[in-house]
Amino acid sequence: MIRTATVEDVPVIHAMIRELADYEKALHEARATEEQLRRALFGEHPAAYAHLAVSDEDGEPVGFALWFLNFSTWRGVHGVYLEDLYVRPERRGGGHGKALLAELARICVERGYGRLEWSVLNWNAPSIAFYESLGARPQDEWTVYRLSGGALAELGGA
């Protein structure tokens, strides 16, 4: 079952974000606090949205999708950017990841959004195979760039 996250879900979402960061060998970079997530997801002007996959047996959250809107200037419509998709290892293979992606695809179709996009680490072969099994294709002609830390502060005039 997939449901929209509530403010009461922030602690479990936070825990799963940390589990995902650990899986991606970057736990030291996962500095978001529960309060930051609460404000981002449920504040006056939400910056992101979340859905939970919950177990049919006990109703416990087993995975999540955290996403936000982007915009295509070429198409003139919004899209969804999936920031994180995670299913707890012991619950993988039960269709939870596919159900989360299907819910986001449904939102896109229902609202007339043109794309559902995300990034995946090059070494994450199981996830790449899963995404490609659903019909997703890599965007090989694009390279992601990022400004952060000192370079961001320098360019921003800090």
Side-chain angles (χ1 to χ4, degrees), residues 128-147:
I128 292 168
F130 167 63
Y131 297 143
E132 289 183 353
S133 78
L134 299 175
R137 296 293 171 251
Q139 300 298 296
D140 294 334
E141 67 274 12
W142 293 91
T143 300
V144 176
Y145 280 82
R146 176 178 295 159
L147 273 174

Side-chain angles (χ1 to χ4, degrees), residues 59-71:
E60 288 298 310
V62 298
F64 79 101
L66 195 143
W67 58 278
F68 55 88
L69 294 179
N70 58 19
F71 184 79

Side-chain angles (χ1 to χ4, degrees), residues 9 31 61 64 93 102 109 117 136 155:
D9 296 315
R31 295 185 292 259
F64 79 101
V109 170
E117 298 179 311
L155 185 61

Side-chain angles (χ1 to χ4, degrees), residues 71-87:
F71 184 79
S72 170
T73 57
W74 290 14
R75 292 182 174 206
V77 295
H78 282 293
V80 165
Y81 187 84
L82 175 60
E83 180 66 22
D84 284 331
L85 176 71
Y86 178 73
V87 175

